[in-house]
Amino acid sequence: MTNSGDDDAAAGPARRRVIKGLGIAAGGFAAGAASGGSAVAEMPAASSSSSAMAVPVAGPWRPARGHVDITWSVDTTQKLVALTFDDGPMPDWTPMVHDILDAERVKATFFMVGERLLRNARLVHGRMDRHEAGNHTWQHKDLSLLGHEQAYRQMHRAHAAIKEITGKEAVRLRPPFGRLGGTTLSAAGRMGYDVTIWSIKMLEKTYEKHPPQLIDYIVDNTRPGTIVLAHDTGKQDRLVALRNLAPMIRRVRAKGFEFVTVSELVEAGGRPQPPKEP
């Protein structure tokens, strides 16, 4: 996917300050900004043996919270569903998605690409209040091919951009393409992240010429605890989902579902369920 055509020079002093801050942060990664950082050695990219390693060092090592949870969906009887959008923000469709969500008063989780967020910060200013911001790496690289330190840089730099621009602290990673490797998990653990995948996705290419069938597919397969994958940028076929997002939302709601963020969905899954009426 391509970045936006925004001119760096036209971004103004505010953006240059963010770039400078992120550059400083990137330079300090190897110094051990997180637990165990000073002991982590650089690993080469595109090496299946290196990227498969779930423990980045031979000696003692521990992630920030001792564990990383991976979520495809949530076990709950409550009629809750999480709508998620990947790969933005970008000028083509991100504003359209926000307009629809605002009109329908729906919460969502946006898994943002840090580099794109930095270029297109204006697109999300004042629009993220009800939504959750998640980490989709700095450059949308396949983390399953990267070593621990490289994967960590991709997450850490995006995390800094998300916090600076949205004011929100990301706590969840969605790896690009949904691909996991051992170093993806070790780097996520170092960041204190959990990993969010999905349980149903918009099959835009399949239903590009048949929008009503795409709506039926999503509505019929939404269950309590479902996490839906959509995109707010990309190839033209993805527009079939976005142009039909409002009727999709309305029909899911008509089945009694409420739209929540991923973190709210996970929290609901951890609460004891109310007893069923006899």
Side-chain angles (χ1 to χ4, degrees), residues 89-131:
M90 291 286 276
D92 46 5
W93 307 331
T94 299
M96 178 202 310
V97 170
H98 277 286
D99 287 347
I100 294 169
L101 297 179
D102 286 349
E104 299 298 326
R105 298 183 180 180
V106 164
K107 295 178 180 180
T109 300
F110 287 85
F111 287 96
M112 299 178 169
V113 177
E115 186 177 56
R116 295 172 185 172
L117 175 60
L118 191 62
R119 286 181 177 273
N120 300 294
R122 69 191 185 282
L123 299 179
V124 300
H125 281 159
R127 308 212 71 171
M128 288 294 294
D129 288 349
R130 75 162 64 84
H131 305 304

Side-chain angles (χ1 to χ4, degrees), residues 44-46 50-51 141-148 150-151 154 183-184:
S50 294
S51 61
K141 289 189 174 182
D142 185 346
L143 296 176
S144 69
L145 300 178
L146 301 183
H148 172 91
Q150 295 164 313
Q154 284 286 318
T183 54
T184 307

Side-chain angles (χ1 to χ4, degrees), residues 18 37 51 59 104 111 116 124 154 162 173 175 178-179 207 220 231 236 250 255 261 273 276:
V18 175
S51 61
E104 299 298 326
F111 287 96
R116 295 172 185 172
V124 300
Q154 284 286 318
I162 291 167
L173 168 75
R179 293 175 186 161
Y207 295 109
D220 293 346
H231 298 83
Q236 289 296 306
R250 292 168 191 165
K255 292 176 63 178
T261 66
Q273 301 300 309
K276 294 182 180 180

Side-chain angles (χ1 to χ4, degrees), residues 60-187:
W61 182 82
R62 181 182 176 86
R65 294 184 295 118
H67 64 91
V68 172
D69 293 335
I70 305 173
T71 301
W72 286 265
S73 63
V74 171
D75 292 329
T76 179
T77 59
Q78 300 179 68
K79 285 192 167 184
L80 302 175
V81 56
L83 185 57
T84 68
F85 294 90
D86 285 10
D87 297 356
M90 291 286 276
D92 46 5
W93 307 331
T94 299
M96 178 202 310
V97 170
H98 277 286
D99 287 347
I100 294 169
L101 297 179
D102 286 349
E104 299 298 326
R105 298 183 180 180
V106 164
K107 295 178 180 180
T109 300
F110 287 85
F111 287 96
M112 299 178 169
V113 177
E115 186 177 56
R116 295 172 185 172
L117 175 60
L118 191 62
R119 286 181 177 273
N120 300 294
R122 69 191 185 282
L123 299 179
V124 300
H125 281 159
R127 308 212 71 171
M128 288 294 294
D129 288 349
R130 75 162 64 84
H131 305 304
E132 181 175 17
N135 193 324
H136 203 41
T137 75
W138 176 250
Q139 294 172 308
H140 202 267
K141 289 189 174 182
D142 185 346
L143 296 176
S144 69
L145 300 178
L146 301 183
H148 172 91
E149 196 67 30
Q150 295 164 313
Y152 175 72
R153 288 193 189 105
Q154 284 286 318
M155 295 177 203
H156 190 282
R157 201 171 179 191
H159 183 96
I162 291 167
K163 184 175 182 179
E164 176 72 24
I165 292 168
T166 72
K168 293 175 178 283
E169 194 90 32
V171 296
R172 301 189 178 279
L173 168 75
R174 174 167 284 162
F177 316 107
R179 293 175 186 161
L180 289 172
T183 54
T184 307
L185 299 179
S186 65

